[in-house]
Amino acid sequence: MGIGATTLGLHGLSSFAGNRSIQPSEKTMQKLQNGEKLGVALVGLGGYSTGQLAPALQETKLCKLSGIVTGSPEKIPEWKRKYNIADKNIYNYENFGTIKGNDDIDIIYIVLPNGMHAEYAIKAAETGKHVISEKPMATSVADCQRMIDACNKAGVKLSIGYRLHFEPHNLEVMRLGQKEVYGEVQSITAEDGFRIGHGGWRLDKKLSGGGPLTDVGIYCIQGAIYTKGEMPVSVTAKYHEVDNKEKFDEVEQGIDWQLQFADGTVADCKTSYAENLNLLRAETNKDEWFELSPAYSYSGIEGDTSKGDIDYKQVNQQALQMDDFADCIINDKKTPVPGEMGLRDVHIIYAIYEAADTGKKIQIDQRKKMLDWRIKGK
């Protein structure tokens, strides 16, 4: 059984737009037959690549760190020394396209500011390499669709960096909610936030696409959907009052929103750059409950239920995420976190913004082709 096979029944997609059979390349198959791992190139060497992805790639079983793409040449010597990266596998944004001829690299992971995801994911697809994009997928639904189309045209796979789909506590929440283990979920609470410092590109709307909603609030959207196992049908929302108008002059400081589901279930959600928040909780029609707190962290996730603890071993989420994608490439499987899921979440993000901007309930249209997929649940 391949990596991730046991998780597909909980959150895999039974169908999604643009699905096509993609066979591993002859060179990829030759690597695996020779006992080699698939090579990953990280695009952007900021905090997430440095602190999480590169270390995780030292623990992966099916893939390895083979290359880097950076616009900061001063970072190169340390990355070369620490990870033994060959000179021929080091790129900048001007010669990025020449990765096409590099057999050491099979997967390109886009770890740039949100507003740059679409441009470089499309360029990555054009090199013939498989693509992972960090979340949020892009800063518009149109750009998400462009990314999907580019990968389909190039015949490569596209995945979004939704690491929590490989984390055992969150997988258990999916099971408890979607399988109605403690009854039908009737209400959900999802909160994620932190006190931001200088902020950098996260406070620049052109680069970020928004404030905490596009950053950590997306985990609340994800959590609500994979706990319920269904798409919400509408949303209402309200911005938080701004305490620091100089810092939050382009993006929101925080926002509350409520997702409404077809059967009357509601998910009350909250995100902020001024509060520390980290909760996913569900209550059922049988007066039972289950929750994770913290729910979305890189490690230290803890769970509890009305019937006892949710107690699993802590894992390296990013290592499992990247190995699962490598397994999908090797065995020509659907990734459980495809571009269509990223597009769905960006669609919901901007419905939330519209609700907050207008003060109205906004319908989330499930009939459009871009949202034409189903969650495999109960």
Side-chain angles (χ1 to χ4, degrees):
M1 182 177 291
I3 292 174
T6 58
T7 69
L8 288 174
L10 292 175
H11 55 74
L13 304 181
S14 59
S15 64
F16 54 86
N19 179 38
R20 58 188 290 182
S21 177
I22 304 172
Q23 296 297 326
S25 70
E26 184 177 340
K27 290 173 182 175
T28 298
M29 292 305 297
Q30 186 175 3
K31 280 188 180 187
L32 294 166
Q33 289 167 1
N34 293 336
E36 298 178 35
K37 297 180 178 182
L38 301 189
V40 177
L42 298 177
V43 182
L45 305 183
Y48 193 58
S49 284
T50 302
Q52 301 299 326
L53 295 178
L57 282 162
Q58 310 315 301
E59 299 185 29
T60 43
K61 308 299 183 185
L62 298 179
C63 55
K64 63 181 180 180
L65 177 59
S66 292
I68 54 175
V69 181
T70 181
S72 303
E74 69 277 6
K75 295 182 180 182
I76 293 173
E78 175 64 12
W79 279 75
K80 282 181 61 178
R81 182 196 65 78
K82 192 168 185 179
Y83 298 112
N84 194 31
I85 298 173
D87 286 336
K88 69 185 183 71
N89 294 343
I90 297 173
Y91 297 85
N92 56 46
Y93 298 112
E94 285 70 43
N95 64 12
F96 180 88
T98 62
I99 293 177
K100 183 173 184 177
N102 190 335
D103 294 342
D104 289 350
I105 295 170
D106 303 281
I107 300 166
I108 297 177
Y109 198 145
I110 310 301
V111 205
L112 294 165
N114 307 340
M116 301 172 72
H117 288 179
E119 177 184 357
Y120 282 92
I122 291 169
K123 287 181 177 180
E126 290 171 348
T127 70
K129 309 299 183 180
H130 301 284
V131 183
I132 305 174
S133 173
E134 250 317 300
K135 59 80 193 163
M137 183 176 176
T139 54
S140 74
V141 168
D143 275 349
C144 292
Q145 190 62 58
R146 288 174 58 227
M147 293 163 70
I148 293 169
D149 292 344
C151 289
N152 283 341
K153 181 178 179 181
V156 300
K157 291 184 183 291
L158 170 63
S159 182
I160 310 302
Y162 286 138
R163 56 188 168 79
L164 293 173
H165 283 254
F166 310 94
E167 195 286 315
H169 297 79
N170 279 270
L171 287 172
E172 177 65 358
V173 163
M174 297 177 200
R175 186 185 75 86
L176 294 175
Q178 295 183 27
K179 299 297 184 182
E180 299 182 358
V181 175
Y182 295 157
E184 295 180 15
V185 172
Q186 290 191 324
S187 67
I188 298 167
T189 303
E191 300 178 349
D192 197 6
F194 65 97
R195 298 181 185 277
I196 199 168
H198 178 262
W201 64 265
R202 285 178 170 80
L203 300 181
D204 180 332
K205 190 170 184 179
K206 183 177 180 181
L207 289 175
S208 64
L213 179 59
T214 61
D215 186 4
V216 292
I218 196 169
Y219 291 121
C220 300
I221 295 169
Q222 279 260 311
I225 292 174
Y226 63 59
T227 300
K228 182 66 177 173
E230 297 175 10
M231 274 285 290
V233 296
S234 60
V235 62
T236 53
K238 184 178 182 180
Y239 292 114
H240 296 177
E241 283 193 36
V242 177
D243 299 324
N244 188 333
K245 294 184 179 180
E246 183 176 348
K247 176 179 285 189
F248 299 108
D249 62 337
E250 292 190 29
V251 302
E252 77 278 1
Q253 177 177 303
I255 188 169
D256 295 334
W257 71 98
Q258 185 183 80
L259 298 172
Q260 294 98 25
F261 294 84
D263 67 355
T265 298
V266 296
D268 291 307
C269 306
K270 179 179 184 178
T271 191
S272 175
Y273 273 158
E275 297 178 69
N276 293 319
L277 307 165
N278 207 317
L279 173 68
L280 178 59
R281 178 183 174 91
E283 299 185 6
T284 78
N285 64 338
K286 295 184 178 179
D287 294 325
E288 304 287 356
W289 57 270
F290 50 96
E291 71 174 28
L292 301 179
S293 180
Y296 318 106
S297 306
Y298 297 146
S299 62
I301 293 177
E302 296 183 359
D304 198 6
T305 79
S306 50
K307 295 185 180 296
D309 292 343
I310 300 175
D311 188 16
Y312 289 96
K313 180 181 177 181
Q314 300 296 316
V315 299
N316 189 313
Q317 301 163 18
Q318 291 86 353
L320 293 178
Q321 169 206 326
M322 290 185 283
D323 264 345
D324 187 87
F325 189 52
D327 184 53
C328 288
I329 293 168
I330 294 162
N331 294 299
D332 188 26
K333 300 192 306 183
K334 302 173 186 176
T335 170
V337 286
E340 287 76 9
M341 181 181 284
L343 182 152
R344 174 203 74 185
D345 293 344
V346 170
H347 176 74
I348 295 172
I349 282 171
Y350 289 104
I352 294 168
Y353 280 135
E354 184 179 354
D357 288 340
T358 64
K360 298 178 180 179
K361 177 181 286 190
I362 301 301
Q363 299 301 311
I364 298 173
D365 188 356
Q366 298 181 70
R367 294 170 297 173
K368 294 181 180 178
K369 182 179 179 181
M370 65 184 181
L371 297 175
D372 185 20
W373 61 277
R374 299 290 182 268
I375 300 172
K376 187 181 292 184
K378 58 182 182 290

